[in-house]
Amino acid sequence: MNRKKLFSIIAVLLLLVVSGAAVLVLFTKRNQNSAPVSAVQMFSFNSGLEHEKRDDAYRTTYQIFVYSFCDSNGDGIGDLNGIRSKLDYIQDLGFDEIWLTPVHPSPTYHKYDVTDYYGIDPEFGSLEDYDLLLKECHERGIRVLMDLVVNHTAYAHEWFQKASDYLHELPSDWEPDPSYCPYFDYYQFSREPKDGYAPLQDTNWYYEARFWSGMPDLNLDSPVVREEIQKIASFWFGRGVDGFRLDAVTSYHTGDPEANVGFMKWFCQTCRTLKPDCYIVGEAWTDRNAIAKLYESGIDSLFDFPFAGNDGIIRNTISHSVKASDFVNVMISLDEQYRSSNPGYIDAPFYTNHDIARSAGYYALDEGPETKMAYGLSLLMSGNSFVYYGEEIGMKGSGKDENKRAPMYWSDSPDDSDLCAGPPDMDQVKMKFPSVADQMTDDLSILNWFREVISVRNAFPVIARGSIEASNISTDTVAAFYKVDPEERNVLIIINLGDEETSCDLSSEADGYSMVAVLNTSEEWITLEEKTLTLPGHSIAVFAEDLS
Ligand code: CA
């Protein structure tokens, strides 16, 4: 080998070493600048999605049971300042509305028996705390729904106490005179025992109390009671409340749907006069026909109970006792039924709430995918989708009501001052899935699934606002449907509810659509080759119209 040749070889080797080092430096730099790449496809695939905001009532709402959510002052009771300290958490998950269970003064922990409709229970904070919470929510674009309980008051409410005092003093052979005591007309009193009535102690009177004797039912036909309710709504709208969740609307006039429609119609019209863009959602824990009837009131929303709970349509679809294709058909038929009563209705899908056993207990063998898919279905439904706090981490809680309202499981640390003690008389609730703190760092956690599903819901406004059209791709285990709205970019959603991988032939569907989002419950990737979509078990693909 001559010297010249040796010199060239050394030069080439040097060049290789130098360029190799440069590549290594570049590679290291790139990895220092970005988070490590997740093996879960959705985090990279969906990374470009952004929240397409609309100024309307189609929201994703987080239901907070105030007593058990977050404690700010160390007394073990959740409070308004605690909620305010968690707004980053709520917003980061993509929620843009919160519904707080009642916050008014009340003798119970749940506060569904109100003693003062104009105050805040001292356990939860003050009016100033409530104002500050409203202000900070509004700055973040989060709307706030107040739980309004007007079917009944607390026994200890001043109105009932005054009526009761009057009847105690009234000679037994005298007729009551509402002009002397107007509060007599606020409730339903009777000299005869009746179904749903409780005896008024030390008198020969009875009063309507459908839930229990501590909750006397208001007389909602009374003009003076309606005047009081109008004043209450006006007071809270004046402070900035965006709308109301109405408790127990089927009990307003028990067994008289027509009268319930009448009261709700009056209430909604009254609220719209006070605040034209307010939003009202009612709790009618009943079947689809009864819900459809109540939509005649013109109320914006009624919770979609047929889909919820352990015996609802979502649960039965997940366990395959309802075919995936029928899940789509039921969504379409319920939409038609509700729409025929109120063309402007907004569906209010949900899966659980503070009265229903938590969903993680529905699937004994589930390690996450079934809980995730149930919320995939619920959160991809049209309307205003509601999620009960703690469901986003698969909390457990069943049996007595207190157990369904267990403290939000922020972390395992006994020093975590956010943790609440939980309702008195609650059993020890053993959790199945890790805490918020632990799920934050696990790509495949239920928490990260929720954030990703909501980000897809928020990126394509048609998912909440569109009407539903069936796709021929649906099978017994694949639910496929379009969301269509002339004002929005339409989507096709394809959900594999089976455990096994499946392939879908898209040659007759999704013409002019592209795959825009994926949702995975494992590290298996969703692939699209030509017109063949391959979905691993328990995964979702979303296609959207190509932008012209
Ligand atoms: Ca507290």
Side-chain angles (χ1 to χ4, degrees), residues 194-198 207-211 217:
K194 287 191 206 176
D195 181 44
Y197 280 59
Y207 61 96
E208 190 185 16
R210 293 282 165 182
F211 290 91
D217 277 48

Side-chain angles (χ1 to χ4, degrees), residues 462 465-467 469 483-490 545:
V462 75
R465 294 158 186 82
S467 51
E469 289 178 8
K483 291 289 183 85
V484 182
D485 182 320
E487 303 291 310
E488 302 287 357
R489 189 179 176 195
N490 296 339
E545 280 180 315

Side-chain angles (χ1 to χ4, degrees), residues 145-163:
L145 302 183
M146 170 169 268
D147 208 324
L148 190 64
V149 187
V150 292
N151 174 66
H152 50 262
T153 68
Y155 185 90
H157 195 287
E158 179 187 27
W159 301 337
F160 192 77
Q161 289 307 305
K162 285 184 171 164

Side-chain angles (χ1 to χ4, degrees), residues 70-79 123:
C70 179
D71 177 23
S72 74
N73 62 353
D75 63 0
I77 297 174
D79 47 56
E123 287 188 331

Side-chain angles (χ1 to χ4, degrees), residues 392-413:
E392 75 274 24
I393 52 168
M395 274 174 62
K396 287 207 50 181
S398 60
K400 60 165 87 157
D401 280 344
E402 287 83 351
N403 301 351
K404 303 163 188 165
R405 306 158 184 181
M408 180 65 177
Y409 186 26
W410 294 111
S411 74
D412 275 323
S413 164

